[in-house]
Amino acid sequence: MTKHGQRVLITLRKMIANGELPPGERVAEIPIAERLGVSRTPVRIAFRTLEQEGLLRKGDRRGYTVRAITPTEIADAIEVRGVLEGLAARLATERGISPQARNCLLDCLTTGDALFSKGYLTDEDMENYHDFNMRFHNTIIESSRNNAIEDALSRNDHLPFASVSSIAFNRDDMTGEFRRFNFSHMQHHIIFDAIDNGQGARAESLMREHANAALRYTNILGPTQGMPENFTVIERED
């Protein structure tokens, strides 16, 4: 898929994730192409990919319908991501990370420390968090030197909120979101500590817990009910 086509696919995934294309809505090539200001070809390819991923269902007639994704499906995908990223963390620890990878992880930690030191988050901070969070995770995955993990993650991570390349936050509760993402960043610190000290089993366990934190600690850290209008999704290409 071309870069242009990838951007169309990511845009449509985001529209489904944030409810702009709600479950049950019928979507067709021409209206979506006009809405996005693109030709029909990348939309057609994106629809096929989204059907394979389970986000769209092809109707009896021409066109597709947005499929409802249950919380259980998302939770299952996040659990699988935790297992895969945990394995990556253990392998990276056992095989040893390069000086470049270590410096990258340290840079992510330093960037996060500066971001959270203010005591609050802005929309721009969330963009920055998304970028260094993705860099932290991808560095560990790459350091595992196991291509099968990366391939498995790419197949698992298409569901909304299941991938590290996509984060969601509630703009109506930025105080609660500060607590949630600061907690996640503190987990980055202890994951790095385990990797840096050669504690493979500990790194694996911490990374699995880290992947599940978004779901497991919702009630502890200040949940929001439902999907508020100001709920924002940030997604990038991996």
Side-chain angles (χ1 to χ4, degrees):
M1 183 180 295
T2 65
K3 285 282 187 181
H4 180 62
Q6 186 74 7
R7 284 194 294 270
V8 171
L9 176 61
I10 287 174
T11 298
L12 289 173
R13 279 206 201 107
K14 182 175 178 179
M15 292 169 72
I16 293 171
N18 64 20
E20 193 174 346
L21 293 176
E25 179 164 324
R26 291 180 60 83
V27 292
E29 290 176 16
I30 295 177
I32 291 294
E34 292 176 348
R35 186 170 176 177
L36 300 182
V38 299
S39 68
R40 293 174 60 182
T41 299
V43 174
R44 182 183 308 118
I45 295 172
F47 278 1
R48 291 171 182 167
T49 301
L50 292 169
E51 181 189 15
Q52 293 170 356
E53 293 178 350
L55 296 179
L56 294 180
R57 179 177 288 114
K58 193 170 181 60
D60 295 335
R61 301 178 180 179
R62 297 180 64 181
Y64 293 82
T65 301
V66 178
R67 190 172 78 83
I69 304 298
T70 68
T72 298
E73 288 177 286
I74 296 173
D76 288 346
I78 290 176
E79 186 171 5
V80 170
R81 175 161 67 85
V83 172
L84 292 170
E85 289 196 335
L87 175 60
R90 177 169 63 79
L91 291 177
T93 305
E94 293 174 350
R95 295 175 177 179
I97 62 173
S98 69
Q100 293 82 4
R102 185 177 186 276
N103 287 337
C104 181
L105 294 176
L106 284 171
D107 181 66
C108 291
L109 296 178
T110 300
T111 301
D113 290 346
L115 186 149
F116 288 105
S117 67
K118 305 190 311 298
Y120 63 89
L121 293 175
T122 65
D123 285 2
E124 183 179 356
D125 289 333
M126 292 310 306
E127 294 271 359
N128 292 333
Y129 176 88
H130 172 277
D131 291 345
F132 75 73
N133 178 64
M134 196 165 79
R135 194 152 48 95
F136 184 90
H137 284 254
N138 287 344
T139 298
I140 292 175
I141 293 166
E142 291 167 6
S143 296
S144 74
R145 300 193 287 281
N146 186 318
N147 292 333
I149 293 176
E150 191 169 354
D151 292 342
L153 280 169
S154 68
R155 290 192 295 272
N156 179 73
D157 285 353
H158 60 269
L159 290 180
F161 318 129
S163 171
V164 71
S165 67
S166 175
I167 64 171
F169 66 98
N170 181 10
R171 295 177 66 190
D172 289 336
D173 184 23
M174 293 301 281
T175 299
E177 296 297 48
F178 175 87
R179 294 196 300 271
R180 181 162 72 97
F181 286 101
N182 187 43
F183 178 83
S184 181
H185 180 60
M186 290 301 100
Q187 288 184 313
H188 286 171
H189 273 279
I190 59 176
I191 289 167
F192 172 79
D193 179 76
I195 293 173
D196 203 40
N197 285 286
Q199 299 169 327
R202 177 173 173 243
E204 180 174 19
S205 176
L206 289 170
M207 191 60 120
R208 291 184 66 167
E209 175 65 18
H210 179 57
N212 282 276
L215 296 177
R216 301 293 182 253
Y217 292 102
T218 298
N219 292 330
I220 297 174
L221 299 177
T224 58
Q225 300 299 321
M227 179 76 80
E229 290 183 3
N230 281 347
F231 206 80
T232 301
V233 179
I234 302 173
E235 183 164 359
R236 300 258 202 281
E237 296 179 38
D238 292 338

